[in-house]
Amino acid sequence: MDILKVHVKAIMTDYQDLLRTIKSLQHSRLSYIELLQEEVKRNQDRPSEKIKSEEDSDDSSRPATSAHHISTQNEQFTAPYSIPQTLTVSPSLGGQPLSPELAVSLRNILFGNTFHIFNYEWKKSFFKFREPFSDMAYALETERLGGACAIQMVVQAHIIKYLLFNRSVNSEFTMQSMVMVGENEQKKALAAALSDILWTAGEEQTATVCLVTSERCFTPHMDYKLDNFTERLHIFTFKKKDDVRSFIWEHIQCFKEEGSHGIILFLYSLIFSRTIDRIRADFDSTTTHLLHLSLGNFVCRQALLNLLLTGHATPQVFNGTSLNDEQHKALAQPLHGVLTRSHVGYLLWNREQVNHAQLPLVGSMLKTPRLPIWVCNINGTYSVLFSPNRSLLSDWKMEHLFQLYFYNGHPTQLSTTMLTIDTHSHHWEAENNDIQGDPEKKFPSVEMTIRTKWEGAVIDWNGTVPFF
């Protein structure tokens, strides 16, 4: 029955993509047959050298249905969600072309099969910054819902890490300095964030970057669903972190421009940096692949979140390895949790799971990271909490009364929300005892999330109307 549900969901996802494709094609004034006829006529009227020259200089991508670029003098035909040629690289750049065997392994580690492909929501996602030199210049504009948002928010946390704690400057950075970020500094921050995550996944020995070339590397097998994207990958491997960052910086448009499929490219790079064999070793009996279907979209499993945060695709949020279940009975196979403290932490709150007493308890390795930055999973949506005070987690006196900044990634948030956290006033507990039923009826989910780290804390929104 579960297999049938997966197939039905896959068919519905493909059907929705097909409807979008049909709608896009309907906007074209020429039918595909007319385009082919026009192409044949045009090829007869000009030398092959001129065709080659025009193909090389054309800015649009080849459609998935043909290996040749088809265009007219007045308009171009572009396959829906295809990558513009300006965001591809030449095969002569080097790297290793993706083999059909590796493509199958990649598809399986992502989806658990070879017939699922990324849908429109994933394909249109990339790393898009807010306006430079604005109150939100440091911030990425993320998808509100869907699997790509989780990846964007972990990268956002690493961008904050770079801007607050890793820039080569003499003065200590504050929130004020975060808004004085120009476009060039945004690119540097993104390159640093992506390379940091990839380098950690490669155990600080190696990292891999995937880029899309203008030519297909292989012809897929019958049981492999073509997406006209993965089949054009070239894989570039580096053994020095600075080389990774420089390479990403040189090709930053492949991750931050509209149409680039930047989130998927980074996800592929992450998987190859960790390697598929090591990812499988990180898994336990609860997890076989990184994404799962939810409400018609692919979302990240905890193993993928942990891979982004810690460099290991372990599926659990507790510390270490568990040999026993919650009733202290021996497990047939151990469960794999978080083994090391990462630079960026993780907090979790889900009202539905709390109501059913199913909320996983996040261990101290994720709750207390090396730096005061947390990716928050709040009711299935993602946001970031952070503090410019590097000593917050290393000096217990700092945790009596302090500020945290909150960003939910949504374009409607026009300024970073400052929250004041008081861990010594316990009137929240007294008020909570007077509430009948669910405390979230009075306290927003953000506050409940913070209290999973600082139990009983009083949160002041400093004049902002509480949201989330």
Side-chain angles (χ1 to χ4, degrees):
M1 187 67 181
D2 291 339
I3 295 176
L4 179 60
K5 289 181 179 178
V6 170
H7 279 277
V8 170
K9 288 180 178 179
I11 292 170
M12 289 303 297
T13 301
D14 293 341
Y15 177 67
Q16 291 171 356
D17 283 345
L18 179 61
L19 288 179
R20 292 190 183 98
T21 302
I22 292 172
K23 184 177 180 181
S24 177
L25 291 174
Q26 286 174 339
H27 288 297
S28 178
R29 293 194 299 271
L30 293 176
S31 69
Y32 185 61
I33 295 176
E34 290 171 327
L35 288 168
L36 288 173
Q37 292 173 340
E38 182 68 22
E39 176 72 1
V40 171
K41 180 181 178 181
R42 186 155 38 86
N43 288 348
Q44 292 173 343
D45 294 338
R46 63 181 183 178
S48 59
E49 291 81 10
K50 186 177 180 182
I51 297 173
K52 181 67 169 62
S53 175
E54 291 190 10
E55 286 181 343
D56 290 342
S57 63
D58 204 322
D59 284 342
S60 63
S61 65
R62 296 181 177 92
T65 52
S66 175
H68 297 284
H69 181 70
I70 302 172
S71 64
T72 65
Q73 293 179 351
N74 297 324
E75 67 177 343
Q76 297 171 339
F77 176 82
T78 303
Y81 327 129
S82 61
I83 299 178
Q85 191 168 359
T86 53
L87 300 180
T88 65
V89 297
S90 169
S92 62
L93 183 64
Q96 185 71 28
L98 185 70
S99 67
E101 295 78 16
L102 197 54
V104 168
S105 296
L106 177 62
R107 190 71 63 81
N108 278 315
I109 204 70
L110 281 167
F111 304 107
N113 56 63
T114 58
F115 57 82
H116 275 138
I117 62 174
F118 285 106
N119 60 11
Y120 166 73
E121 297 300 327
W122 277 88
K123 291 177 181 178
K124 73 182 182 69
S125 299
F126 59 102
F127 296 106
K128 179 183 179 181
F129 275 97
R130 304 282 287 270
E131 190 69 23
F133 299 112
S134 69
D135 289 344
M136 305 299 291
Y138 72 92
L140 293 175
E141 186 175 309
T142 69
E143 303 298 324
R144 184 61 175 158
L145 299 172
C149 177
I151 297 175
Q152 289 168 318
M153 269 303 170
V154 176
V155 173
Q156 174 70 83
H158 279 266
I159 288 172
I160 293 170
K161 168 180 169 282
Y162 169 80
L163 292 175
L164 282 179
F165 304 118
N166 293 120
R167 281 198 280 185
S168 301
V169 293
N170 296 325
S171 59
E172 183 177 349
F173 271 74
T174 63
M175 278 303 299
Q176 183 59 32
S177 66
M178 295 267 283
V179 305
M180 302 303 294
V181 175
E183 185 176 357
N184 196 55
E185 194 67 22
Q186 288 177 335
K187 294 178 181 178
K188 286 183 180 178
L190 179 57
L194 299 181
S195 59
D196 278 354
I197 296 171
L198 298 180
W199 190 248
T200 301
E203 299 189 344
E204 300 184 348
Q205 299 294 319
T206 183
T208 298
V209 180
C210 296
L211 296 179
V212 179
T213 65
S214 55
E215 298 177 4
R216 189 182 298 174
C217 302
F218 64 90
T219 301
H221 300 302
M222 290 295 293
D223 58 347
Y224 176 95
K225 187 174 180 180
L226 182 73
D227 65 14
N228 196 41
F229 168 69
T230 307
E231 304 80 29
R232 296 158 57 192
L233 287 183
H234 271 220
I235 302 170
F236 302 83
T237 301
F238 303 90
K239 295 186 177 181
K240 292 183 180 180
K241 186 177 181 179
D242 287 344
D243 292 343
V244 183
R245 183 181 295 191
S246 297
F247 186 80
I248 293 176
W249 163 254
E250 291 169 2
H251 301 92
I252 197 67
Q253 74 279 1
C254 297
F255 300 94
K256 69 176 294 292
E257 296 295 332
E258 185 173 4
S260 65
H261 295 40
I263 304 298
I264 302 176
L265 261 186
F266 173 64
L267 177 54
Y268 285 171
S269 301
L270 178 69
I271 291 171
F272 289 132
S273 292
R274 181 63 185 157
T275 76
I276 292 174
D277 287 341
R278 284 194 293 207
I279 290 174
R280 289 198 177 111
D282 291 337
F283 287 165
D284 57 28
S285 58
T286 66
T287 302
T288 59
H289 48 283
L290 296 170
L291 301 174
H292 70 97
L293 270 173
S294 176
L295 301 176
N297 195 11
F298 293 105
V299 297
C300 300
R301 293 180 182 269
Q302 189 64 48
L304 178 50
L305 287 172
N306 285 356
L307 177 58
L308 287 158
L309 291 165
T310 71
H312 294 77
T314 52
Q316 313 301 330
V317 293
F318 52 69
N319 292 351
T321 301
S322 178
L323 302 176
N324 302 298
D325 62 17
E326 295 179 355
Q327 285 74 41
H328 305 290
K329 295 181 180 180
L331 294 166
Q333 297 179 1
L335 300 179
H336 298 165
V338 180
L339 301 175
T340 58
R341 199 177 306 279
S342 55
H343 284 97
V344 173
Y346 178 74
L347 299 177
L348 171 65
W349 174 263
N350 187 289
R351 181 175 183 176
E352 184 177 347
Q353 289 180 318
V354 168
N355 289 342
H356 293 86
Q358 296 176 336
L359 185 70
L361 296 178
V362 178
S364 60
M365 291 294 187
L366 289 175
K367 276 189 181 178
T368 309
R370 297 178 189 176
L371 295 171
I373 307 171
W374 295 265
V375 174
C376 301
N377 181 349
I378 306 177
N379 297 322
T381 60
Y382 293 87
S383 51
V384 176
L385 275 170
F386 62 97
S387 169
N389 184 0
R390 189 171 194 149
S391 302
L392 177 61
L393 300 179
S394 58
D395 185 350
W396 61 271
K397 296 177 184 177
M398 296 286 184
E399 294 187 83
H400 291 173
L401 184 69
F402 58 96
Q403 277 75 44
L404 289 177
Y405 293 87
F406 178 72
Y407 175 56
N408 67 6
H410 202 263
T412 57
Q413 184 175 347
L414 302 180
S415 61
T416 308
T417 302
M418 185 180 75
L419 307 171
T420 299
I421 316 300
D422 185 349
T423 61
H424 272 208
S425 298
H426 296 289
H427 63 266
W428 178 83
E429 295 175 354
E431 292 175 359
N432 187 34
N433 291 334
D434 295 335
I435 298 175
Q436 298 297 320
D438 186 2
E440 195 175 331
K441 292 179 180 178
K442 183 171 183 179
F443 298 103
S445 294
V446 173
E447 296 188 19
M448 302 306 294
T449 305
I450 292 171
R451 292 187 185 103
T452 65
K453 165 65 178 169
W454 293 279
E455 186 176 0
V458 176
I459 293 100
D460 185 351
W461 287 72
N462 297 300
T464 301
V465 177
F467 59 94
F468 218 106

